[in-house]
Amino acid sequence: MSLPFEADDVAALQEAREEALLEAQQARMARRSRTLKQVRRERVLEAPCRLGDGLTLISGLQRACKLVPLDVQKKPAEYDELPLDEERDVSERLEFEGSCFSKTRYIHPRFLRRCGDGSSYSVTCRLPVCTMGNSAVGDTLPVHAICHKFCDRLPVYRQLKFFSDYGLVGVDEPMLARWMQAVADVLTPLYRMFRELIQASEQLQVYEAPTGDIRDKRPIGHMQAIRCAETGRVHYCWLEELSVVAPERGEVLSVPPVVRDLFVAAPGEGALSALFYTFIGECERCGVEFGEWLLATLQALPGYRGDLRALLPQADVGQPSA
């Protein structure tokens, strides 16, 4: 019995059938209502905006900023602008403004000035100071993550979902941990000074309680709170072992000095949590928004030569009471 088609004809018919099925599937997908996430995925495939640190900005504000030195602005005729080098003279930085991400493309060209003796030198502008150094992440992004975690009690996986839904792809849990640790390293001198300032008080109160892991409620350490009875300031410190010892001119409390649901997300984040809880409590005592204070402090600390006590949250005494 002979077949009506040759083997080559059968293969061609099967290929045509698969192509028809694929076209029909694509037509069905095109007729479906596309969600916002599907639109963002398509934009990634079409024209992604690449940033450093493996981050990709899908949707958000994009702006350009040209940095010109002040000397060049005053005497532009004495300087010649050199050709722009994309790898060296162009940088990108990611910020979080309001409810959306924004990418700023900084252009800092080099300008050449020729002196009368035949010599010449070039000048350029540096990028704005950032806690993350040369990273593409600005200060507002780690501040936003810290406020979500320690003020709003938002778990890390919810933050990652928030970032992806708002157009930022590539953020993972280790990256968030590096951001928070970098901010904590910058605030450490202020944190130590604040403890010394409280310990110098005449009336101290100490409270320690076992603190558990938020995932399985297992005790992994102790959170110590030292409170100044005169001013109400509280300093938190992470301890691996229980050691409630009243300092000189102090007393041991049986109840926490501040009603706060303390938790630690991982065994290695006790000291990090104690640092941020200290400044969150001080901002609440002074009536200051923690996120605004943290951002202003991070911008003021690099190169700061004054008294660190001036950077602590200050109560607005000039505002009349209700």
Side-chain angles (χ1 to χ4, degrees), residues 30-43:
R31 289 193 298 268
R32 291 180 181 178
S33 59
R34 297 182 301 173
T35 62
L36 179 61
K37 184 179 295 186
Q38 291 173 341
V39 174
R40 287 170 175 169
R41 286 176 179 173
E42 291 179 2
R43 293 181 61 181

Side-chain angles (χ1 to χ4, degrees), residues 234-274:
V234 181
H235 181 280
Y236 293 94
C237 181
W238 178 255
L239 302 175
E240 297 294 338
E241 298 179 358
L242 181 64
S243 60
V244 178
V245 178
E248 298 180 0
R249 308 177 306 278
E251 60 176 332
V252 177
L253 297 179
S254 58
V255 294
V258 178
V259 178
R260 184 180 303 280
D261 184 16
L262 302 177
F263 72 91
V264 177
E269 294 183 359
L272 192 71
S273 302

